[in-house]
Amino acid sequence: MTASISGRSSIRSAPSPIAPDGVSRIGADVDTERLALRMLPKVSSSTSRKGLRIGRAEIKGTLTVTDPKTFVTALTRGIGHARAYSCGLLVVR
């Protein structure tokens, strides 16, 4: 199973489960040595007063689902703080 994180979601919902170390858990494990990372252009606010800038990345790799319920939640709700700005969509192929 390959997962990709991209900035194409407009789903607003509660955040993903957060572990004590502050990392969002998506219910899957991955071999970090076999990930491909591509930085995407930053997204900026259209109004100057907000000063919003969101860094985006696409991450590709193979993952193993370890907690199906948490993984389905991550797929349907998205991950990260910028979900409201069309970021945080998980695409699984």
Side-chain angles (χ1 to χ4, degrees), residues 21-22 25 30-31 38 44 46 49 60 67 70-71 78 80 88:
D21 59 5
R25 301 293 182 208
V30 65
D31 178 4
R38 181 172 68 121
S44 298
S46 59
R49 66 174 197 199
K60 291 185 179 183
D67 181 351
T70 301
F71 188 70

Side-chain angles (χ1 to χ4, degrees), residues 4-13 40-44 52-58 77-91:
S4 172
I5 300 174
S6 64
R8 293 183 175 85
S9 171
S10 61
I11 298 172
R12 290 180 149 190
S13 59
L40 300 172
K42 288 186 177 183
V43 175
S44 298
L52 178 69
R53 292 185 59 120
I54 299 171
R56 301 181 306 150
E58 181 177 83
R77 295 183 177 178
I79 60 171
H81 298 289
R83 289 186 316 272
Y85 302 99
S86 299
C87 296
L89 175 65
L90 294 172
V91 179

Side-chain angles (χ1 to χ4, degrees), residues 2 7 10 15-16 19 30 34 48 66 74 77-78 82 85 91-92:
T2 304
S10 61
S16 300
V30 65
R34 300 184 67 185
S48 60
T66 56
R77 295 183 177 178
Y85 302 99
V91 179
V92 178

